[in-house]
Amino acid sequence: MPSRLKTTALAALFSATTLTAALADGPIRIAVNEWTGQHLSAHIAGTMLEKMGMEVEYVTAGAVPQIAALSDGSLHFNPEIWTNNSGDIFPKAVESGDIEVVGSLGLSPQEGWYYPPYMAEKCPGLPSYEALYDCAQAFAAADTFPDGRLITYPADWGTRSKVLVERIGVPFQPVAGGSEGAMVAELKSAIAAEQPMLMMFWEPHWIHADIDLDIVEWDRSSADCDADESQKRGDACGFSQANILKVVSSDFADEYPEAYAFIQNYTLDNTIQNALIQKVDQDGMEVEEAVAEWIADNEAVWSMWME
Amino acid sequence: MNAIPRGPLVWLALAALTLVLWLTGGPLATYPDAWIASPAAAMNAGMDAFTDAAGAGFRAVGSVLEWPVDGAQALLGLLPWSVTTAVFVLLGYYGSGWRLAVFVALAMLYMAGIGYWDESMNSLAIVLISVPMAVAIGFALGVLGFYSARARRVIMPVLDVLQTIPAFAYLLPILILFGFGTTVGLVASILYAFPPMVRNTILGLRAVPEEIIEAGTISGATAAQLFWKVRFPAARAQLLLGVNQTTMAALSMVIIASIIGGTNDIGWEVLSAMRKADFGVSLLTGFVLALIAMALDRITHGFATRPRAIEWEGRSPWAVAAAVVGGVAMLSLLIPALRDWPEALVWDPAPAMNAALERVIVEGRAWIDGIKNSAFFYVMLPIKIGLAKAVSPFTWGFALTPALIAGYAALVLGLAALAWRSGRTTLAALIPLWGVVSYIGLTQTPWLALVGIVVHTAYVTGGRRLALGAAAGMAFLLLAGIWPEAVLSLYLCGIAVLICFVLGTALGVWASESRTVSAILRPVMDTLQTMPVFVILIPFLMFFKIGEFTALLAIIAYAIVPAIRYTEHGLRNLPASVLEAAETMGCTRWQLLTRVKLPLALPAIMLGLNQTILYGIGMLVIAALVGTTGLGQQIYIGLGNGDFGVGMTAGIGMAIIAMIADRMTQAVSRKRQERFGMRMAGM
């Protein structure tokens, strides 16, 4: 009996080692997250790597779990990691050297309070945040009346909107959005019925290809605005803006030096991504198709990444 | 009647304590932060140490477990859709006949027809591997628990923990231990799916009548024969219910595990659609999971209940099946459309569905808001923050003046006096307590008073041990610093469970009396239990917006199913001899139901209530996706930050609430049973 156990254990160990060995020489495993923009960034990079003669595999992965996967080498590369939705696990993994940040992708994200254009008619002072003080009631719902209703990020994404509401004393009640799906559902439903709406949101996001949204403007902008406790009415900067980073697993540079060199050069900007998002989410094109078309038309752009 | 017994006095004292503490405030009303000693950090340290020590072993197991899933996925991915369909249609036919075969065929055509064949097969592969494993583990533990009381004392709390610590809370440790990949989904779905099998195995084996066992013993059966030839067949109905529940649970887990990623399965598609709030696509893809569940359930059910030998016009069924599958495979080599579903034939009604939903929202806005606001203002808000704060000119149309407050107090005291005069002293003491708590509201009730109320309720229902257990559990909630979240969860879940139990039991009774109702309810329940709840969330969200009302509806939609199912099952599977006896005694249908059937079915109904509570608490996590505050939200904060300790603390908090509620209901059920037993004996 013990000898049989040993054999099983050995077999298990063996399989584990062969598997890791197979991974090292196998395809480059690129993370695919739940949103279209990231699909595009991943597929553009993947297609280029294939052009360079490398084998690529796309693996679906959640925003937080993928950090664990990148740390243990089951995933190799994600071109578009948002520092604001990867949790505390991301900075920890960077610090411990389990994953490597290769630089920023080049997308410039914007976060803030968004509203549909019809709200500007009900609250003429918009887009300045000063207008919100006077027409909070135009944004009110039954459960927040007479304060306005502000949908914030889900609680697990942090409480930045709530903090800002308290700092600048705007008469709004922050309501945690629960999840991205809930927030989008709320947006769609409110806009369909032209109902009051003010929501913490971000771009680039595919929804901007679908509906018009305007963003509330502040007095000034500041890189570490979130930490700025001196913010008050008349001197508000809103929010710090997130970073979008290219991330690889720790051994990646040694194992795939060519691919690593490419990733260092790889950049995208909002215009490119938004146009492609529009094609996929609005015109119903497949991601692969849209990427192939873009690559065919933009040799000038991608040839710079190959140097 | 002369001396007031002690029990009621305690209730009165608790009412007074609640009121006094609420009026005075202070550290006994609001638990001070300085008294918090959260175990989260220690848990993280422990988990790190454990991963360092045992991580390699778990990874090895993980990579071994990956093989069967990868193999099944590769096989199902390789086979042409027509061949896989043929195999499952044949299984359906042999299992139960042509009706099931047609159902399976339509289900498979649906998966191919909406263009999600590959994703569906990836999910099917996980389920095909995880369900047999979960059933085997559950059955083995159930048998162990049946024979050994000591084992049962260990198994039962573990089951409660597994079923109540929400899957989301243990996804993270599974991910840390087993590594990223399909294993996470497999392990999570086994862990989540085997508890119902254990419960049903124990219940089924216990319910085997002694006469049958005696008959077996007399005819000289060995212990093994007694088990496999006597107990096992006699318990088959309950065991099958276990398989059914396990299959459903495993499928519902498939989508939750998709959050991790690793496979391009149907759960991932549902989640992506959820993120986009794409109602049409999420419903279409979510329905695939429901169809897989229903088909697997009916097929296993069919094979378990059909007569042993099957023959088809004298030929072996295997030969016929092999010939059919071989024929389809040959055809698919010739006709490419039978290999891969042609793109031109993909049917996509999602945009039309989205448009229809939007139209309903725009046109039904007035009554949608009406429903929501009245439920919110008149039911949820008063329970949450009490009449003291909920009644305002904006919500109820008038303010709570001192005169009204005095009137309210007089009403409560009057009712109490009335109850006292008619001799119901306990009720008379409970009314003031109820009056005080309704006035203050659950979230505003001083913690010490709430602890007292719960502990005393535990003492009254389950005796000293339950009271001690409840006190220890609440001490954990307080010390861990999750008391406010726990009370919010209690409030939301309490309302939901109450509605589920009342409505669900009524529906279950109706279904047991009417075949038509039963036939209508069954697929609806299967769909509710297996259709990822996220999917129901989207239309609810669009109608009722982010907030607690939407969460309440979602919890009800999910947790009502066991209440219906167990009630119907209990009522339908009563010993025929007793029913006949009652009928010959001249019972009317109503008497038969209320005097005979319901009391006899009470254990099953209570198991349903028990499951409703556990499901309701489990749903709290999903409810947090639509913006509730409570323990569910804490679990996301833990998961979102990769913080094992925070998520686990909240998970244990949920398990504590669930277990206290569960033990109370069990104790009440036992007492009732004894009472009915006595009454029947004296009949």
Side-chain angles (χ1 to χ4, degrees), chain A residues 284-305:
Chain A
M285 208 183 245
E286 292 289 322
V287 170
E288 292 83 355
E289 243 180 286
V291 166
E293 192 189 277
W294 184 86
I295 286 177
D297 296 344
N298 291 279
E299 196 171 342
V301 181
W302 57 256
S303 58
M304 294 193 301
W305 305 335

Side-chain angles (χ1 to χ4, degrees), chain A residues 15 32 34 60-62 64 69 72 87 142 145 149 155-156 176 178-182 184-186 188-189 192 195 206 281, chain B residues 59 67 180 259-263 268 274-277 358 362 365 376 394 541-542 545-546 624-625 627 633 636-637 640:
Chain A
S15 70
V32 176
E34 299 103 318
T60 54
V64 175
D72 69 12
F145 190 86
R149 182 165 178 266
D156 44 327
S179 59
E180 183 185 342
V184 174
E186 177 100 8
K188 284 184 176 176
S189 146
Q195 287 196 313
W206 60 270
D281 281 324
Chain B
R59 299 236 158 178
W67 288 1
F180 179 85
I259 276 199
I260 300 291
T263 16
W268 180 264
M274 254 305 290
R275 276 186 79 125
K276 293 185 188 174
E358 206 159 281
V362 175
R365 181 50 70 193
F376 192 69
F394 179 65
L541 263 174
M542 290 191 149
K545 300 249 165 141
I546 288 170
L625 283 175
Q633 196 186 50
Y636 279 109
I637 294 179

Side-chain angles (χ1 to χ4, degrees), chain B residues 366-390:
Chain B
W367 62 263
I368 289 172
D369 281 351
I371 294 175
K372 181 187 156 185
N373 288 345
S374 38
F376 192 69
F377 290 154
Y378 299 114
V379 182
M380 300 179 70
L381 218 47
I383 295 178
K384 187 181 180 185
I385 55 171
L387 294 167
K389 285 192 186 161

Side-chain angles (χ1 to χ4, degrees), chain A residues 49-82:
Chain A
L49 289 170
E50 278 173 340
K51 258 185 191 295
M52 293 163 64
M54 274 167 266
E55 208 185 330
V56 163
E57 187 186 342
Y58 301 100
V59 183
T60 54
V64 175
Q66 71 181 353
I67 308 296
L70 283 163
S71 303
D72 69 12
S74 3
L75 283 175
H76 294 133
F77 170 47
N78 187 341
E80 183 179 329
I81 285 190
W82 289 58

Side-chain angles (χ1 to χ4, degrees), chain B residues 165-174 621 635 639 644 647-652:
Chain B
I165 287 195
F168 284 100
Y170 54 73
L171 276 184
L172 194 67
I174 295 176
V621 185
I635 287 184
L639 193 63
F644 167 72
M648 216 38 165
T649 308
I652 293 173

